[in-house]
Amino acid sequence: MSGTRPGTYFSLLGPVQAHRDDSPLPLGPPQQRALLAMLLCRRNAVVGLDELIDGLWGGEPPRSAVGTVRSYAYRLRRALGGGLLTHGRGYALQVGPGELDLTRFDELTTRARAHVSAGDPEAARDLLARALEMWRGPALAGLPGPQARIQRERLAELRLSVLMERVELDLRLGGHGGLVAELTGLCLEHPLNDRLRTLRDAALERGGREREARTTPPGAEAPAPTPTAPPHLPVPAQLPYVPGDFTGRAEAVRDLLDALAPTAPETVVVCAVGGIGGIGKTTLAVHAAGRLRERFPDGQLYANLGGVREDPADPAAVLAGFLRALGVTDPALPEEPRERAALYRTRLAGKRILLVLDDARDAAQIEPLLPGSPTCAVLVTSRSTLSGLPAARRLRLDVLPAAEALALLGRIVGEERIAAEPAEAAALVERCGGLPLAVRIAGSRLGTRPAWKLADFLRLLDGRRAFGPGFGPALPGRDGPEGSVEACFRLSYDLLDAGQARLFRLMAVPRTPTLDFASAAALAGLDPAEAERHLERLTALGLLESPAPLTYRFHDLLGEFAAARSEERDSPGDRTAALLRLADHMLACAREAYAAERPGHPLVGLLTPTTARGASFEAGPPHIEAVLAVAVQSLEARPSAVGLIADTLLALDPALDGSFLWAALLAPARRVLRTAEEQEDLRAAGRTGFLLGSALTRLGRFDEAEAALHDAERAAAAAADEVVRTEILICRAVARQGRADWTAADALYREAIAAGTACGNAWGATNARSNSVSTLLRLRRYEEAAEACRLSLTAAREGGDRYGEAHALYSLGIVARQGGRAAEAIALHRESAELGVRGGYPAVEVMNLISETAAHLAAGHPREAAECGERALAATERLGWRAAQARTLRLLGTALAESGDHARARTRLTQALAHLEALALPEAAEASAVLASLAPPGH
C-alpha cells in the first residue's frame, strides 16, 4: 500500500501535479515541486540529501541549501498527508500502483509491445495511443535545476520513441492518409531525426505522392508495406547546418582533414578543437566533417553535449540517441549505461563512422562515447582544454586574422558596402576583436538595415560595451547561447565557483594587457597557489588565454564582459582595494629587483612598507608598462595613495635604465607629480620629480629636465629625503654635462659625492664619481678622472654591483682614449659592453659602441670606426635613444668622410646635424664643420 493518503495521484507528464479525489494539492514554489519530481522519478527509493542539493542547484548551491531542502520536505509531507519518509540524510516517497502517470504510461507501452510480439498490431496501436494521450505538455514543465532538465530530456526522448512506434504501427495498418500532416510537423520539430523523415516519406509514397518524398539515400529502403517489417533506417547523417558564409580557417580545416583521414589507423583518431566561446569551433568542426563524408560512408553521428550549461548532456542519453540512429529499437536499449556503451561499440565495430561531439564539458563526459573500432574517428569541440582526453591532434582556435574577419563581414553585408567604406569596415572588425560570433552579429544587424552606413554603426558602438545588453538582436534563428556574445560568454562564467568568478571579475579591473599569477593573486588577495588553480580553471574554460607560462590575458570582448560583471557584483571600494593590493605587490617586486640591481643602495630600506610577498615566487618582477598603468589607475581611484605610487615608480629606476623605456614614463610621472603636489606630499613630489627629470635627461630634453630636477631637489630637501637628493644632484650634473657646461657639472658632482657620503648613500657617491669622468677629462683633470674610475670599479666589484662595474669600465675606456691608448680603450669598451649585454643593460651596450667608434677614429682606423658606428646606430634605433642616435650619426659620418666615402658621409652628417640641432646639442657645430669640409657633390 501507498504511504500517501488514499486517492492521491501524481503527474509528471506535463506540469508536476498531485491530486486527491480530483482536487489539486498545493505543492509550493517551482523549486519545491522540482524536489517532488526528483523523488517521484526515484519513487520508493531513498534519494540522498547531497543528490537532492546537486539536482536542484548544480555545482554552486547556496549556503542555506540543506535547510532549504529540509523545509521543502516538511511542507511536502504536510501537503501529501504522509508517504514522504526520512532515511538518514535522505528521503523516499512511497508511491503505490496506479498513483503515478509515468508508471501507467510504462505499463501501457509494455502491454503494447507484447501485442506486437503476439501479432496483434491493432491492439498495440490503440494502447500506444492511450499512453500518448496521458501527456499534458513537456514533462516537468517549468521546473528549475539540472536534474529537472535531465529528466525532461529523457522523458521527451521516451515520448518521441513511443510516438514513432505508434506511427510505424499506423503505417502497417494502412493509416498513412492521416499521418502526412502529423509527420510533417514532427519533422519540423525534430529536423535532425532521419527516422521521422523516413516515416513521412513512406506515408507520402503510400498515398501516391512519391514526388513529394525526399530522395532515399543509397542503400536505404522505404518501410515495406508488409505488416511485419519496420521502416529501414537510413545511413545516419546528423551533421547540423553549416552557415554558407563560412570563411577562412584554411590551415585549421586542412589539419583536421589530414588528421581524421589517415590511410591505415591503428587506433581511433580523436581530434579536439578548443577555444573561447564564439570563436567558431562548431562551425569549423561541422564544416570539416561535411568534407569527410566520403571517408566515412557509414555515416556521421552528431551530439551537442551542452558542456557549458548547468545540466550538460548525460552520456547515457546521448548513447540512446546514437543507438536509435544505428537501428536499435527502444525495447532493446539496455538500461545500464555500461551495457548501453558496450552495445554502441558493438554496433560501430568495423563501420566507418565519424562522430562529432560538440561542446564537451570534460573528458569524463566524452569517454563513454568513444568508439572502439579504429575505422571510426571522433571530432570534439570544447571550451575546456580537455586535458584528460587522448587526442591525435589538438587545435586551439584563435581569433580570425583581420583579412578573414573582413571577408566574413563582406559575405554577410555585401562586398559593395565594404568597398564603399573600407576604413570603417576595418574598424568594425577590429571592434569585434576578430571573434566570428561578434562579426556575424554585427553583420546580421547591418544586413537587415541596408540603408545604414558602417560609419553610423560604429558611432552607435562608441561609448558602449561591444555586443552587451542593448546592442541589438541575436543572430537570426538563434535564441540560445550562440545568439549573442554576452550570453555565449555567460555560459562559461556560470560554471565558475564563487572564488573563480571573483578572480575573473577582478582581473578586468587593472588596465593591463596581461597579468602573471602572482599579480593576480595580489589583486584578489589570494594565496598564490590558490590563485594559480583558479587561473588554470579559467584558462581551461576558455575565459582566459595563457600566452606564456604563468601569464594570463583576456580576449578583448571577454575583458569587456568581465568588467561588466565586476561593475554588477563588486563595489567601487572592492575594486579600489584590489588595485591598491596590486600596486603594493608591484612595489614589493620592484623593490626586490632594485636591491638586486643596486646592491647596498640605502633607498631600498626607505621605500613605503608593503604587505606583499614580492617577487620571491616564479612570476618575477612586473612589466614596466603594467606598473605605469596600474599606478595611474590607482591614483584615479584613491589620490591619497600617492606615496605608495611614487615609491613604486622610483623603484623602477634600474629597470628603466636597463630597458630605456623612459619615454613611456613621462605622462604617468607627470600625473603622479601633479597628484603629489595636490596632496602636498613633498616626499612623493621629490621622488617623482627626480624620476621625471631622469627621463627627460636620458631623452636629451635638458631644459625641461633641469626645471623638473630643480623643483624635485627643493621638495626632497624640504622632506629631508637626502638619499634621493643625492640622486637628483647626479642627474642635474648629467644634464649640465649634456649642455657641455663642464664647470657647473663638476660642482654638482662634488655636491652629490658629499651629500651621498654624509647621508650614507655610498652607492650614489660611487655613481657620481663614475659619471663625473667625462667632465673631469673635459676640464683636463686626467689624474682625478683615472682615480674616480679606479675607486668606482673597486667599489662596484666589492659590492657585487654589475651595473656599476660595467659603467666604471666604460669610464676607464674613455680615460684610456683621452690618454692616447686607443687599443686599451677598445678592449675596455668591449668588456663593458659584454657585461651590459649579460646584465640586460642595452643602454650600456649603446654607450660603449659609441665610445668604441670614437676610439677607432682616434686610432686612425676609419673603416673599423664606420663598421662599429653602423652597429651603434642600429642599437640606438632599437632603443629609441635620440641623443645617442644623433651623436652616433656624427661619428659615423666623420668615419665615412675619413675613409673617402663622401656620398654616404654627407648623408649621415646631414642626418646628424638635423638631430643635433633639434635637441640643441653642442656637437652640432662639429658635425657642421665636417660636412662643410667635404667636396660638393659632383666634384
Side-chain angles (χ1 to χ4, degrees), residues 587-605 607 621 650-655 763 799-802 841:
L587 172 55
C589 293
R591 179 165 56 187
E592 290 192 18
Y594 195 108
E597 291 296 329
R598 297 182 178 175
H601 201 302
L603 181 66
V604 174
L607 295 171
L650 181 59
L652 290 178
D653 192 18
W763 194 97
D801 181 359
R802 295 171 298 174
Y841 314 124

Side-chain angles (χ1 to χ4, degrees), residues 109 113 117 158 161 165 195 233 319-324 326-344 346-347:
T109 54
R113 289 162 185 159
S117 300
L158 175 62
S161 174
E165 289 182 59
R195 188 177 176 192
L233 291 171
L319 284 171
F322 284 169
L323 285 168
R324 291 189 190 100
L326 295 169
V328 178
T329 61
D330 276 22
L333 278 177
E335 286 294 327
E336 169 60 38
R338 291 184 182 179
E339 294 178 6
R340 191 173 288 185
L343 178 59
Y344 162 73
T346 299
R347 284 295 179 118

Side-chain angles (χ1 to χ4, degrees), residues 286-343:
V286 175
H287 173 79
R291 292 182 55 177
L292 288 165
R293 291 182 191 274
E294 293 185 4
R295 168 66 179 82
F296 298 96
D298 295 321
Q300 303 89 36
L301 297 173
Y302 172 88
N304 186 330
L305 301 182
V308 291
R309 298 182 182 275
E310 69 172 14
D311 50 346
D314 182 356
V318 176
L319 284 171
F322 284 169
L323 285 168
R324 291 189 190 100
L326 295 169
V328 178
T329 61
D330 276 22
L333 278 177
E335 286 294 327
E336 169 60 38
R338 291 184 182 179
E339 294 178 6
R340 191 173 288 185
L343 178 59

